Amino acid sequence: MLDWPELESACLSCQKCALAETRHNVVFGDGARNAEVMFIGEGPGEQEDLTGKPFVGKAGKLLDDMLTLIDLDRSKIFIGNTVKCRPPQNRDPLNVEVEACIGYLRNQVALLRPKIIVCLGRIAAMRLIREDFKITKEHGQWFEKAGVQMMAIYHPAALLRDPRKRPETFEDLKVLQAKIREICTHTY
């Protein structure tokens, strides 16, 4: 396992898949490196690719608002993605791209040792919780893997496309807030 500086250096110079040819920046992840709560999306979008920071576009602004609703902010959590480079036209990451990149995410999780992982959207949930995960039926439910509490919520971009899902997501966020208060010691 690499330490934080080694991991970030390896990630920033990665050439393991074709996404390296089209990226502007690697989006390594951002936040507290002792966070008890980790949010994981599928991959960077256009604004993220341009800035090298996760969730900075419209979906990122909505994520910030969602975090505020439950008394969180980026300084208390860590945000990463299943792939660190933007897939062209924001398409879903290909399996070969996720496989090339997943080791970086695993290393981040191993360094953080979070108590809670929140998957943002079905792509992350299908990779991290269960291959046949159904976001419309299983969002907001808790799963335990290797001692880590995991849940998935709708991706903020999905909520921008379909605001009717926002009330369900608000309920999921309250469930998350309750779990954080129950098991985390330094998030609040």
Side-chain angles (χ1 to χ4, degrees):
M1 178 172 72
L2 301 176
D3 66 17
W4 282 110
E6 293 167 336
L7 179 61
E8 189 164 9
S9 177
C11 199
L12 294 176
S13 62
C14 181
Q15 299 288 317
K16 291 182 182 178
C17 78
L19 294 180
E21 298 167 18
T22 57
R23 72 176 180 229
H24 288 95
N25 287 290
V26 171
V27 182
F28 177 71
D30 193 37
R33 293 190 175 178
N34 66 341
E36 293 178 293
V37 181
M38 183 177 192
F39 284 74
I40 301 173
E42 63 185 64
E46 181 180 17
Q47 293 305 310
E48 292 76 12
D49 181 43
L50 294 172
T51 63
K53 299 280 185 200
F55 287 89
V56 294
K58 288 179 185 173
K61 171 69 173 107
L62 181 54
L63 178 60
D64 288 344
D65 292 344
M66 292 162 63
L67 294 172
T68 299
L69 286 173
I70 57 170
D71 302 318
L72 283 180
D73 63 56
R74 288 175 184 248
S75 70
K76 298 176 183 177
I77 63 169
F78 191 89
I79 303 174
N81 283 301
T82 57
V83 295
K84 309 296 187 195
C85 299
R86 178 187 184 210
Q89 288 79 50
N90 290 348
R91 66 161 166 71
D92 291 349
L94 303 175
N95 284 339
V96 66
E97 295 160 350
V98 174
E99 286 303 316
C101 210
I102 199 71
Y104 298 128
L105 180 62
R106 286 185 183 127
N107 200 148
Q108 287 175 320
V109 171
L111 288 168
L112 276 173
R113 295 188 354 243
K115 293 180 179 177
I116 296 173
I117 292 177
V118 180
C119 297
L120 296 167
R122 71 177 171 81
I123 301 294
M126 288 170 64
R127 182 61 203 201
L128 300 171
I129 297 174
R130 197 179 63 251
E131 206 172 289
D132 63 347
F133 191 89
K134 304 288 186 229
I135 191 77
T136 54
K137 292 187 170 125
E138 297 177 291
H139 65 86
Q141 296 178 26
W142 289 108
F143 301 84
E144 185 177 333
K145 289 185 81 174
V148 178
Q149 295 295 315
M150 302 181 80
M151 78 155 24
I153 62 174
Y154 286 113
H155 193 287
L159 298 174
L160 290 171
R161 289 190 301 273
D162 186 358
R164 293 171 299 176
K165 291 182 169 88
R166 288 186 184 198
E168 295 171 76
T169 301
F170 179 76
E171 292 304 317
D172 295 346
L173 290 170
K174 291 311 222 177
V175 168
L176 171 59
Q177 183 180 41
K179 183 65 79 174
I180 290 170
R181 288 180 174 162
E182 176 189 338
I183 69 172
C184 294
T185 56
H186 65 268
T187 302
Y188 284 94

